[in-house]
Amino acid sequence: MLFSFRNRRDKSADEARRSAFKERVSRIAGLTDADAVTVSEIACRDPGCADVETIILLMRRGEPTQAVKLGTPVDEVTDDAIEAALAVLSRRRG
């Protein structure tokens, strides 16, 4: 029973962490309430690939979805890294 409770608590903490990260990305990207962002962490087993990568999908209303891949876990992604990745996207869009 304790194990089950811990899993729910860990899941809740993970969701809070992910939600806070989404808010950071939304703020940095200048997203509006009409836009959306998703965040995923994936394990990469390919040689030369980071063990855990963060994938960000930006869904701006009326525009194609854009993907950003960062070679670090969510907890290690800095605002500067987000800004740099978004700058690359902006150059591709422009």
Side-chain angles (χ1 to χ4, degrees):
M1 191 79 157
L2 179 61
F3 182 72
S4 176
F5 176 73
R6 275 185 87 174
N7 280 342
R8 276 186 267 154
R9 249 177 78 186
D10 292 344
K11 196 178 236 183
S12 176
D14 186 52
E15 185 57 38
R17 175 178 67 101
R18 210 176 292 275
S19 179
F21 185 79
K22 285 180 184 180
E23 288 177 21
R24 282 176 47 210
V25 171
S26 293
R27 177 182 46 80
I28 293 168
L31 299 181
T32 68
D33 290 340
D35 304 322
V37 62
T38 65
V39 176
S40 303
E41 283 183 315
I42 61 167
C44 183
R45 290 177 173 66
D46 292 337
C49 183
D51 290 339
V52 176
E53 296 178 328
T54 299
I55 308 298
I56 301 168
L57 296 179
L58 298 173
M59 295 162 276
R60 291 182 172 97
R61 186 178 210 165
E63 296 183 26
T65 298
Q66 296 177 296
V68 174
K69 182 167 81 170
L70 302 166
T72 56
V74 166
D75 291 339
E76 296 176 19
V77 175
T78 65
D79 287 359
D80 289 342
I82 296 168
E83 289 171 1
L86 294 177
V88 170
L89 286 180
S90 291
R91 285 192 292 265
R92 287 183 195 157
R93 282 175 47 195

